[in-house]
Amino acid sequence: MQRGIVVAWREKKPLGGISCICRRWYQSESGVYGYRSKVRKSFVVPEDVLSARNRHSNVYRWVEAYRSHGHNLAQVNPVDFTRKVQTFPELEFSRYGLSEMKEVETHGIISGLSGVMTIKDLENALKKIYCDTVGAEINHIGSEHKKEWLKENFERIRAKRLTKDERREIAELMIKSQSWDNFLATKFPTVKRYGGEGAESMLAFFRQILKSSVRDDIKHIVLGMPHRGKLNLLTIMLQTKPVKIFHKFKGNPEFPADAKAMCDIASHFHVAETLNVDGKEINFSMPHNPSHLEAVNPVSMGKTRSKQQSLRDGAFGEDDTKEFSSEALNLQLHGDAAFPGQGVNQECLFMTGTPHFDIGGTIHMIVNNQLGFTTPSDRGKSSQYCSDLAKSIDAPVFHVNVDDPEALTLITELAYEYQREFRSDVFIDLNCFRRWGHNELDDPTFTNPALYHIIHNRKSVPDKYTDYLVAENEMTQEEVNKIAKGHADFLTSELNQVNTYKPDNWYFRKQWSGMKQAGSEITVWDTGLDYSLLGYIGVKSVAYPENFAIHQHLEKTHVVGRIKKINDGRIDWATAEAMAFGSLMDTTYGVSGEDVGRGTFSHRHAMLVDQKTNEIHIPLNAMEGGLGGKLELANSLLSEEAVLGFEYGMAIDNPYNLIIWESQFGDFFNGAQIIFDTYICSGETKWMINNGLVVLLPHGYDGAASEHSSCRIERFLQMTDSSETQPDGDDINLQVINPTTPAQYFHALRRQIVRNFRKPLIVVSPKVLLRLSEAASVPDDFKPGTHFLPVIGDSSVNPSDVKKVILCSGKHYYNLRAERKNRDLKDVAIVRIESLCPFPVHELNSELDKYKNAKSFIWSQEEHRNMGAWSFVKPRFENLLARRIKYSGRYIAATPAVGVGSWHQQEAQYVVTDPFDAK
């Protein structure tokens, strides 16, 4: 896939002996819709600070050693069974020529301390800051500004103490969490609950995030979160009624009876609630997570960006001073085994700062169980910490002991402030443990006896904290017991309501209020428009400013060529697409997608680049008139899973934006299979979450060998819930089309938005048809009253003369038509199935009824027999149309295509001639 980020050297005035700096930049410094060049905040270390560091250089080096290595001695592991005594010579002050009683002025050396101190007193202070229950990793960061900010504020916040009320609030949350897990263990002992036991302090994290967010008037928080402690969070802080969970645990569906859904397990539940925090409202949404836990992260990022778009946040608005995430904030929770082990995390991190995927930084927390199912921590990674991937994007990391929820609260405040200051990612590594193993039904002592000997012989996290507060006279044991009993009584009352509980139809509300679930019938939607409007859009799609230095080749072939085609009434693929985009934008809808700038096959050119200034111009966004829809083009990093998940996240948030994901070649979808399986194909039936995502997969046997010939149509058809024995309706889970004309593509795109329901659309996209003159569409194909045709019949033959009907799909049609012309056959009809799913039973039946004398029906495809649409078409054709059909195409094979040119030519000839030779 194309990448729209380049590295360039920009001339700067000499600074510290360096005459230029390396920076990442985008082609449009002046900004395009969805992107605005970031303004770097000026920063200079004060002269008095530099002077102090120079005067006490050895002391400063020693302090820096603590900042670099102190985390190695930090007491962050609540269940350390190794008991290894570690020493770090780098932290010994004698190494720097210092003595215990030497006095030093701390100004400029360390924040939060002032005046003169002895080296011994300073050492004690450093150990308290950097080697206690928090370890900080900040010295890997390349930015001096960020590093100085972190040093100052980390040292400041480590000296801060919570109030009595804050401590009691945290204790209450943790007591309720423990009460919840104890209740489930008693009432539902055989149900996997993935509780929060051993990680209860995570609620202190969420408490602080909510309080800090409402203080800054953030409107939306989007959280990507796996199973661990999820139900605790939902029922204690996010307003999910426990009876809903109990109802599910009793084996009941979570949706009303009229919902067409198969449902899912409770630990995959989501939430979308308006919370009241400190007297202010804030919207909190948590997308559903599948059991591929980290797959939710890009989805949460895409949903966050969609919120920012709806709020006109950052580069989506007119205010040049407004940064991304001013009103929408992304949070992600990770598992300690999954974060370094799942490649989607690297993809997400390297996407987070790229144009059109930037969401202004994410606050991450790794719930570090120090165990991956049964795999010990040291066998699940190759580096020191499970969080080390964060260093690849210069993100600060704070390691925190779960037994110190107060420290976690303060570090959360620091992480939030860092994200606000720099709009960059930041990580908290919460070192905790799983009290009962992976899902409470597993016995972890089989494989980790030493670890679990310590876990089973220590107090719980809430008990340790409340014991501390009782000892400090900030709570009494009676108060602790009262909170626990009160929550248990509340849960009992909720459990008693299970038999009368009625699931809520929360879906199709707010921005989805105009939508509904698709019906079992097939509906037809008028997607045609007056050609004068489409012609105007087509011309505007290649317009550029007067002083814009366009590429000479594009001027001739793209600009002049497109205008000529429009005037001649011969519309090619890219022009039809531009007309579809522009017509949707003309009626307020937005269009957004990745890898759509130039187009893999240099046919689209929806964005133009000035050959002198490198500035970007997007013609459709400069189109006058209309109701304000915008086109956002995103040339993505070379990622499949994360980028597709991101686009899916945008699609589930806003049904009025046409969201597109395009593979450079169709087979690239393989790298995103998890997103297809767990979200796109099954998200509605599992969770009643709709999406209208369009997936473009270039497909066609053109001699490119195995990897770039096929988009594996058969796999997508297998993933549909199409029936072999009954006609499909609009309510199939996945649309799969293989269109043969630009007009068909135009209507399919517009239909995605015009309808009052949303279904994902897989477009088996062409390569050779992009410029094939025979495939051009004419103005009448777009006029009002026209629509997408699931079947295109053969108007070139007399139906009564036809003895054989060849059925096919996609660009293969044009090769078959050429062969028929060469043979001058009048008794063979070629029928195109444009929509494979839903399978067009009624349209096919109407078309085939014309051929009363036809004796033979052939399915012709260029894919191998065990691939393509054959295995999908055959049972439906024979069961629903009551006709036998024969196969014609390539043989059974293990790879999509041969890698020898001469063999390919032989096969290409065979798949065209065999349908006519077959009896």
Side-chain angles (χ1 to χ4, degrees):
M1 299 178 184
Q2 300 126 6
R3 282 149 285 178
I5 298 173
V6 296
V7 175
W9 289 92
R10 303 298 298 271
E11 292 298 327
K12 292 282 185 180
K13 293 181 179 180
L15 179 64
I18 301 175
S19 60
C20 53
I21 62 171
C22 188
R23 62 168 289 196
R24 186 175 62 206
W25 66 299
Y26 190 51
Q27 285 168 297
S28 181
E29 290 293 305
S30 62
V32 294
Y33 180 69
Y35 170 78
R36 185 179 298 124
S37 182
K38 290 184 178 180
V39 178
R40 293 191 176 186
K41 299 176 181 179
S42 60
F43 174 76
V44 177
V45 179
E47 287 294 335
D48 61 326
V49 172
L50 290 175
S51 177
R53 292 173 182 177
N54 287 329
R55 289 197 309 274
H56 304 288
S57 59
N58 284 354
V59 177
Y60 181 66
R61 287 169 56 216
W62 175 52
V63 171
E64 283 290 287
Y66 266 92
R67 290 166 173 158
S68 295
H69 305 290
H71 61 88
N72 291 295
L73 296 181
Q75 305 301 302
V76 297
N77 191 346
V79 288
D80 185 4
F81 64 90
T82 62
R83 304 190 186 281
K84 293 179 181 178
V85 178
Q86 290 183 302
T87 59
F88 280 83
E90 297 95 329
L91 304 183
E92 296 175 5
F93 55 75
S94 59
R95 172 179 271 207
Y96 304 91
L98 304 173
S99 59
E100 282 192 8
M101 302 312 295
K102 177 181 173 60
E103 294 185 339
V104 62
E105 169 61 56
T106 58
H107 172 71
I109 304 297
I110 185 168
S111 301
L113 300 176
S114 59
V116 177
M117 297 179 69
T118 65
I119 292 298
K120 186 61 179 177
D121 288 341
L122 183 54
E123 181 182 47
N124 292 334
L126 288 169
K127 286 181 178 179
K128 184 65 177 174
I129 293 170
Y130 286 101
C131 304
D132 196 19
T133 55
V134 178
E137 290 188 279
I138 56 180
N139 267 19
H140 61 276
I141 297 172
S143 164
E144 183 181 40
H145 187 187
K146 289 181 178 180
K147 195 151 49 177
E148 291 289 330
W149 188 96
L150 284 163
K151 292 174 188 176
E152 177 181 347
N153 288 280
F154 177 74
E155 291 161 3
R156 169 187 58 81
I157 211 160
R158 291 294 286 134
K160 186 176 178 181
R161 293 292 176 264
L162 300 184
T163 66
K164 180 179 178 180
D165 288 343
E166 289 173 324
R167 291 177 173 185
R168 290 174 64 92
E169 285 180 20
I170 292 168
E172 183 172 348
L173 290 173
M174 294 172 64
I175 294 167
K176 287 181 177 179
S177 182
Q178 181 166 265
S179 179
W180 165 262
D181 283 320
N182 290 341
F183 187 87
L184 293 187
T186 302
K187 302 297 184 181
F188 301 94
T190 62
V191 174
K192 298 176 181 179
R193 63 183 186 273
Y194 304 97
E197 292 165 294
E200 290 92 344
S201 290
M202 72 167 70
L203 295 183
F205 166 83
F206 288 110
R207 172 191 169 278
Q208 187 58 48
I209 287 291
L210 286 169
K211 285 182 170 293
S212 297
S213 297
V214 297
R215 180 191 67 210
D216 288 346
D217 294 323
I218 284 178
K219 292 183 173 61
H220 288 276
I221 293 177
V222 181
L223 166 66
M225 182 180 183
H227 301 353
R228 177 84 152 108
K230 184 177 187 178
L231 300 182
N232 307 58
L233 175 65
L234 287 174
T235 57
I236 295 170
M237 297 187 71
L238 301 183
Q239 300 182 169
T240 299
K241 292 178 67 64
V243 65
K244 177 180 178 180
I245 309 298
F246 301 150
H247 185 263
K248 183 64 181 179
F249 281 170
K250 289 283 189 178
N252 299 310
E254 61 266 31
F255 301 118
D258 61 347
K260 299 177 183 179
M262 295 176 66
C263 304
D264 200 3
I265 59 175
S267 55
H268 289 178
F269 280 4
H270 93 312
V271 69
E273 293 288 352
T274 300
L275 308 178
N276 188 293
V277 180
D278 294 341
K280 291 185 177 181
E281 288 190 344
I282 187 167
N283 296 295
F284 195 105
S285 61
M286 180 196 303
H288 294 88
N289 62 290
S291 289
H292 289 273
L293 304 181
E294 303 293 322
V296 73
N297 300 331
V299 175
S300 75
M301 294 171 69
K303 187 167 186 177
T304 301
R305 187 161 174 100
S306 180
K307 297 292 185 190
Q308 292 166 338
Q309 187 181 52
S310 298
L311 292 166
R312 299 187 181 276
D313 198 358
F316 289 121
E318 302 297 328
D319 185 354
D320 290 346
T321 64
K322 193 175 183 180
E323 296 182 89
F324 261 126
S325 75
S326 293
E327 298 180 80
L329 176 64
N330 183 241
L331 306 178
Q332 291 178 28
L333 263 65
H334 310 278
D336 55 309
F339 184 70
Q342 299 296 308
V344 68
N345 290 314
Q346 176 183 321
E347 295 180 31
C348 286
L349 290 185
F350 281 89
M351 180 169 66
T352 188
T354 60
H356 304 289
F357 297 100
D358 185 359
I359 55 172
T362 293
I363 300 175
H364 304 258
M365 185 167 76
I366 299 174
V367 182
N368 188 350
N369 300 310
Q370 306 182 73
L371 191 66
F373 189 30
T374 63
T375 303
S377 177
D378 61 343
R379 301 178 207 177
K381 60 185 185 304
S382 298
S383 60
Q384 181 178 2
Y385 294 115
C386 65
S387 57
D388 282 339
L389 185 60
K391 297 175 186 176
S392 64
I393 59 165
D394 277 6
V397 181
F398 303 102
H399 308 280
V400 185
N401 191 316
V402 73
D403 285 330
D404 194 346
E406 295 179 27
L408 176 60
T409 297
L410 294 170
I411 290 301
T412 301
E413 181 182 344
L414 177 66
Y416 174 85
E417 290 175 356
Y418 176 85
Q419 189 273 340
R420 293 287 86 196
E421 178 69 21
F422 297 104
R423 298 301 197 265
S424 297
D425 288 53
V426 57
F427 281 77
I428 298 171
D429 171 26
L430 180 64
N431 286 254
C432 54
F433 55 90
R434 291 191 316 232
R435 178 163 288 278
W436 304 115
H438 182 62
N439 54 34
E440 294 83 34
L441 306 183
D442 173 65
D443 187 349
T445 61
F446 291 154
T447 47
N448 296 279
L451 173 63
Y452 274 85
H453 176 75
I454 290 181
I455 291 173
H456 290 160
N457 285 280
R458 58 153 284 162
K459 286 192 171 184
S460 71
V461 176
D463 286 350
K464 283 194 72 172
Y465 186 58
T466 53
D467 284 354
Y468 163 72
L469 294 185
V470 170
E472 292 288 308
N473 294 318
E474 296 195 358
M475 291 186 79
T476 65
Q477 190 59 50
E478 290 73 20
E479 288 175 314
V480 173
N481 296 340
K482 183 178 179 181
I483 294 170
K485 183 180 184 303
H487 198 61
D489 290 345
F490 164 68
L491 296 177
T492 298
S493 70
E494 288 284 301
L495 182 60
N496 291 336
Q497 299 174 43
V498 165
N499 293 333
T500 58
Y501 173 74
K502 300 296 182 185
D504 182 27
N505 60 340
W506 48 263
Y507 36 89
F508 302 128
R509 294 181 181 176
K510 296 183 179 179
Q511 67 266 38
W512 282 83
S513 60
M515 298 288 117
K516 68 176 187 177
Q517 199 167 19
S520 57
E521 74 286 352
I522 293 289
T523 55
V524 177
W525 298 81
D526 180 0
T527 47
L529 291 169
D530 190 277
Y531 190 70
S532 61
L533 172 61
L534 295 179
Y536 168 79
I537 293 170
V539 171
K540 289 297 182 182
S541 71
V542 290
Y544 55 88
E546 184 177 350
N547 297 321
F548 190 88
I550 193 170
H551 192 286
Q552 290 183 351
H553 180 70
L554 291 187
E555 170 69 23
K556 178 181 178 181
T557 61
H558 180 65
V559 177
V560 176
R562 175 167 294 183
I563 294 173
K564 184 177 187 304
K565 290 170 187 174
I566 292 170
N567 291 333
D568 292 345
R570 301 289 296 172
I571 307 303
D572 64 4
W573 209 271
T575 304
E577 180 184 72
M579 289 174 170
F581 290 173
S583 63
L584 291 173
M585 294 163 60
D586 187 62
T587 48
T588 75
Y589 302 114
V591 181
S592 177
E594 63 89 22
D595 270 357
V596 293
R598 186 187 75 178
T600 296
F601 305 100
S602 291
H603 65 288
R604 182 175 289 120
H605 297 292
M607 73 175 188
L608 303 174
V609 181
D610 190 299
Q611 300 299 297
K612 293 181 178 178
T613 67
N614 219 41
E615 279 292 315
I616 285 177
H617 175 68
I618 299 176
L620 283 175
N621 282 339
M623 185 171 61
E624 297 176 357
L627 298 177
K630 291 291 185 180
L631 171 62
E632 182 177 18
L633 300 170
N635 290 334
S636 73
L637 72 164
L638 196 60
S639 156
E640 285 89 43
E641 183 178 357
V643 172
L644 179 60
F646 188 99
E647 302 295 358
Y648 171 82
M650 293 196 71
I652 63 173
D653 184 67
N654 189 345
Y656 300 104
N657 276 350
L658 180 68
I659 309 297
I660 300 171
W661 183 79
E662 181 179 34
S663 286
Q664 187 175 15
F665 290 95
D667 60 307
F668 278 39
F669 84 90
N670 284 310
Q673 193 67 57
I674 289 173
I675 303 298
F676 280 111
D677 289 349
T678 61
Y679 283 110
I680 295 172
C681 295
S682 59
E684 180 178 356
T685 188
K686 288 192 295 189
W687 309 315
M688 286 297 290
I689 296 294
N690 289 191
N691 80 91
L693 183 68
V694 176
V695 176
L696 305 180
L697 303 176
H699 173 92
Y701 282 58
D702 304 315
S706 297
E707 270 63 68
H708 291 328
S709 293
S710 176
C711 75
R712 294 289 194 169
I713 301 171
E714 66 278 1
R715 295 186 184 173
F716 290 100
L717 294 175
Q718 185 187 40
M719 285 190 282
T720 70
D721 58 0
S722 170
S723 172
E724 293 183 2
T725 57
Q726 293 183 351
D728 293 332
D730 286 335
D731 55 353
I732 47 85
N733 68 318
L734 188 67
Q735 307 164 95
V736 182
I737 66 172
N738 194 358
T740 58
T741 71
Q744 284 283 85
Y745 179 48
F746 167 89
H747 290 299
L749 291 177
R750 285 185 47 78
R751 184 180 65 172
Q752 282 296 97
I753 294 294
V754 168
R755 293 189 296 199
N756 60 355
F757 62 88
R758 293 291 177 263
K759 290 288 182 177
L761 172 65
I762 306 296
V763 182
V764 181
S765 298
K767 292 182 276 188
V768 298
L769 296 192
L770 298 176
R771 295 180 177 84
L772 186 68
S773 59
E774 296 174 70
S777 295
V778 298
D780 279 354
D781 296 332
F782 302 88
K783 66 184 181 182
T786 57
H787 55 85
F788 179 81
L789 301 172
V791 173
I792 298 180
D794 193 340
S795 60
S796 65
V797 294
N798 185 342
S800 61
D801 294 337
V802 171
K803 302 294 191 296
K804 176 188 290 187
V805 178
I806 299 175
L807 297 104
C808 65
S809 188
K811 67 99 170 175
H812 186 50
Y813 161 76
Y814 292 96
N815 294 329
L816 293 173
R817 190 176 72 171
E819 179 65 17
R820 182 179 64 179
K821 182 178 180 181
N822 290 338
R823 297 189 181 206
D824 194 25
L825 298 176
K826 307 296 184 183
D827 60 349
V828 177
I830 304 174
V831 175
R832 288 171 271 177
I833 300 182
E834 302 280 293
S835 170
L836 292 165
C837 184
F839 192 70
V841 173
H842 300 298
E843 293 86 353
L844 261 179
N845 199 49
S846 297
E847 184 62 29
L848 297 182
D849 278 349
K850 298 176 184 177
Y851 308 113
K852 304 296 185 182
N853 299 318
K855 305 298 183 184
S856 175
F857 298 91
I858 307 288
W859 173 258
S860 178
Q861 66 179 37
E862 58 178 357
E863 299 83 14
H864 291 278
R865 186 178 184 124
N866 56 319
M867 304 173 198
W870 165 242
S871 60
F872 181 86
V873 169
K874 183 180 187 295
R876 287 160 180 79
F877 191 88
E878 296 185 347
N879 294 342
L880 300 174
L881 297 172
R883 295 172 172 89
R884 300 285 293 174
I885 189 168
K886 298 177 181 179
Y887 172 79
S888 176
R890 283 174 167 84
Y891 48 86
I892 290 175
T895 62
V898 297
V900 179
S902 59
W903 297 354
H904 168 73
Q905 292 300 327
Q906 293 171 11
E907 291 184 356
Q909 182 65 22
Y910 172 77
V911 298
V912 170
T913 58
D914 183 65
F916 297 99
D917 296 335
K919 301 299 183 183

